Structure formats: C-alpha cells, structure tokens
Amino acid sequence: MARFGLFSNDVGIDLGTANTLIWQRGKGIVLNEPSIVSFDRSTKAIIAIGHEAQEMVGKTHRDIKTIRPLKDGVIADFEIAEGMLRAFIRKMSATWQPARRMVICVPSGITEVEKRAVRDSAEHAGAKEVHLIAEPMAAAIGVGLDVHEAMGNMVVDIGGGTTEIAVIALSGIVSDESIRIAGDELTTAIVNWFKRHHNILIGDRTAEIIKVNVGSAWPLEEELEIEVKGRDMVTGIPKSIIVSSEEIREALNENVTVIVEAVLNLLEKTPPELSADIYDRGIVLTGGGALLKGLDERLRRETSLPVHVADDPLTAVVRGTGKVLEDLTAYSSVLLKSKRY
C-alpha cells in the first residue's frame, strides 16, 4: 500500500442501476449519488448528474433528457455512462486526477460483452487498470463474511435493477441466481397498481416514496397509511387518496414472490455439504431491497432458515469493493476473469 501513498486515486465503484457509490483508497466512501444523468438531446453534453439530475426527473423541457444509463445492472447507454463515471470521479475531490486503478462490481450473471462495456467505460474515464468483482461476492466481503474459508455462505443482494443470490465458498461462487426483478420492478408495480385499481397516474418518484414508507412483504404489527397524490386518468385533474400498507403489500406481492422463489430454487441446487453450512449460518440480505419491511420475516417463513439483514445494507457492496481495493493481493482470487479479444 505504501507505494500508492495514504490517499491515492485508486477507487472501488458500486456502479448500480439506482445509485453509484465510490470508495477511495485510504478515505472510504466518498460519493453516494443516484445513477441519473441529464443531458442536452442535440449535443449529448451532460448538464447534471446524481442528486441534481434526480431533481429534474419528470420536470425537464424537450431539449433536456434525463435518463439512468444503466439498466438491469448493466450499461444501457455507453456514452452517457462513461460521462457519468468521469463526472462522479471528478466530483470526489477538488484536486481531481484520473483514477489509476478501479475495482468495479457487476452482476454475477453478466455476459462477456457486458463486462467489456464496463471495462471500456472505466478505461475511457481514465483508469489504467480495471478489475471486476461480482456483486454478491462484494456484498459478502462488505458484511464481514470470510469468503476464503471452506464454509458456505448465502447472500441475497437486492439492488435497483437485479437481485443477486449466491452461495459462496473458498473464494468463489458455487451456485448463483441473477434475476431482473428488484427495486425498480417493485416501484413499477406500485405505479401500475394505482393505474389499474384507482385510475390514478403517479410518477416513479412518488411510487418510490410509497415503497420506502409503507411497502412491506409481510403483515406489519401496526399497519400504516399514506396520502398519495396523482392525476386522475379519467378527468385529468390532480387527485389525492389515502392508501394502506396492506394494499401496497398486495401490489408488491407478485414480484416479492419471484424473489422468494429464486432463493428457494438456489437452495435446491446447492450441494448438500454447503446446505448444512447455510442451515447453521442462515441467509444474509444486502442492498436497498433488504430494507423492505418484513422481507426478512417472509424469507424466514418460506425457507425455515435464519435470515439476517446486514448492517447498512445499502453500502455493503461498495464496502466489500473497497476492502478488495485496499488489498488486491489477498482478494485476487475473487476477481472476475475475462476472455481476451
């Protein structure tokens, strides 16, 4: 570590569909912002990123477009993603210099082409050396699991675009499941529920607020209510209604069931010796989706296993990425290998 100095420009990046978090060597987490970009439609010049761009969602005029350049955990718009990454790194400090080395986490089900897109974006943003790590592996390291030992650990990382489920042992992923049902799909489900059942059109930001405040996967000790404002689809006039957490739970149920079934499917495919370890150790939940009320209880009931929500699940992946960055030699075996073209 000495040859990089106490603070270097080496960074670990959780390049997420919903949020991008950056860990800088020697400093820890230095950036946590939404993966959103506002740019000029004609020139593609970036106008705003992160929190500033989020404030513009649904409020821009026709010359400005606001998008999330990542979809389902992978890069959907190469040029904008590269610009966002460069801008975020520049935002880390006033004395910005290109990152010499980057460790970036990616979905476990990523293809070689998608790996190449992430590498190219990082290199075009200034990185001289790029390493990739699977999200569930980074999450396991981030919550303090010893991924090198001959013991099975099961991690369920529910992000914005993907849910990553993996059984980890001996520095590798023994079996995994990557599904494109996660936070974004839950938000969309709430938007669609209001269309179908109340004839009210609400935006994604409103649906996100509803999900965070009253969304649940299991009956609550005390059910909640929230006021929802939207546009009446019949009259076109703004309208306000009160909905309960029971109704929102019903709206989310179909997608939550898919996540639970994916966990059960992976448990079925897990080798018996590792199943015994998971029976003792249980399942660890990370990612923003781990904060959905009652999800741990739902999984506990469905699997009959202990289920633990990680401390600060939103930052588990970037903390793991940061640990790998700080000691690449010790964690070299957990990095993803890529084919050379």
Side-chain angles (χ1 to χ4, degrees):
M1 181 170 169
R3 72 190 182 112
F4 297 108
L6 182 60
F7 301 129
S8 79
N9 285 320
D10 294 353
V11 294
I13 302 175
D14 175 7
L15 193 61
T17 306
N19 294 283
T20 294
L21 293 89
I22 297 181
W23 176 289
Q24 186 173 5
R25 182 194 285 272
K27 289 186 177 181
I29 299 170
V30 292
L31 184 134
N32 181 356
E33 298 213 20
S35 304
I36 301 177
V37 181
S38 293
F39 60 94
D40 187 292
R41 283 179 184 271
S42 56
T43 65
K44 275 214 162 185
I46 292 177
I47 296 165
I49 58 167
H51 293 303
E52 290 176 26
Q54 188 177 43
E55 292 298 316
M56 299 181 179
V57 174
K59 300 177 181 179
T60 57
H61 53 76
R62 63 186 178 189
D63 293 336
I64 297 176
K65 189 174 182 180
T66 301
I67 66 164
R68 294 202 297 189
L70 288 99
K71 182 173 174 57
D72 299 330
V74 295
I75 293 173
D77 189 313
F78 184 86
E79 187 179 344
I80 296 300
E82 179 190 317
M84 180 185 76
L85 196 55
R86 191 189 299 271
F88 276 146
I89 293 169
R90 186 178 283 115
K91 206 172 183 179
M92 282 166 33
S93 67
T95 57
W96 175 82
Q97 290 179 353
R100 179 186 178 280
R101 177 180 290 174
M102 286 188 196
V103 178
I104 304 176
C105 60
V106 294
S108 57
I110 194 170
T111 65
E112 287 297 327
V113 172
E114 289 165 343
K115 281 184 197 176
R116 190 73 190 172
V118 174
R119 284 184 185 280
D120 287 350
S121 286
E123 287 167 0
H124 291 163
K128 301 291 185 288
E129 190 179 317
V130 182
H131 301 280
L132 304 183
I133 182 171
E135 283 175 13
M137 180 65 78
I141 296 167
V143 301
L145 299 177
D146 185 352
V147 297
H148 300 307
E149 65 178 344
M151 292 285 285
N153 293 292
M154 187 173 203
V155 176
V156 180
D157 179 54
I158 307 170
T162 60
T163 294
E164 305 284 324
I165 311 158
V167 175
I168 294 166
L170 293 170
S171 305
I173 294 175
V174 179
S175 53
D176 68 313
E177 191 92 24
S178 180
I179 59 170
R180 299 195 171 184
I181 300 287
D184 287 351
E185 289 294 326
L186 296 176
T187 302
T188 301
I190 293 173
V191 172
N192 292 336
W193 179 270
F194 278 90
K195 282 182 189 175
R196 289 197 308 268
H197 294 269
H198 296 288
N199 280 327
I200 290 179
L201 193 62
I202 62 171
D204 285 347
R205 287 186 68 188
T206 299
E208 181 75 20
I209 291 167
I210 295 167
K211 180 180 72 177
V212 169
N213 287 294
V214 302
S216 62
W218 191 257
L220 306 175
E221 285 185 19
E222 186 177 334
E223 298 293 351
L224 307 168
E225 289 188 338
I226 190 169
E227 182 185 13
V228 178
K229 297 172 184 174
R231 190 179 78 222
D232 191 302
M233 294 171 66
V234 177
T235 65
I237 296 171
K239 184 179 178 180
S240 170
I241 62 169
I242 302 292
V243 295
S244 67
S245 51
E246 292 105 319
E247 189 172 345
I248 302 305
R249 185 161 57 249
E250 194 176 340
L252 297 175
N253 183 60
E254 186 179 337
N255 286 317
V256 170
T257 299
V258 173
I259 294 171
V260 171
E261 286 177 350
V263 173
L264 293 170
N265 288 340
L266 191 61
L267 285 169
E268 285 180 15
K269 294 190 288 186
T270 302
E273 294 295 338
L274 293 177
S275 293
D277 295 338
I278 295 166
Y279 181 83
D280 292 331
R281 295 184 165 209
I283 299 168
V284 178
L285 293 182
T286 67
L291 297 172
L292 182 67
K293 298 175 183 65
L295 180 59
D296 55 339
E297 183 62 27
R298 171 90 182 258
L299 279 168
R300 206 172 285 126
R301 301 285 181 126
E302 298 267 6
T303 64
S304 301
L305 295 171
V307 178
H308 315 285
V309 178
D311 293 333
D312 195 7
L314 283 164
T315 64
V317 171
V318 77
R319 281 185 281 122
T321 308
K323 284 182 182 178
V324 173
L325 177 75
E326 300 284 351
D327 195 349
L328 270 171
T329 304
Y331 287 106
S332 61
S333 58
V334 308
L335 299 171
L336 293 177
K337 310 296 187 289
S338 288
K339 294 176 183 175
R340 292 292 172 195
Y341 288 91

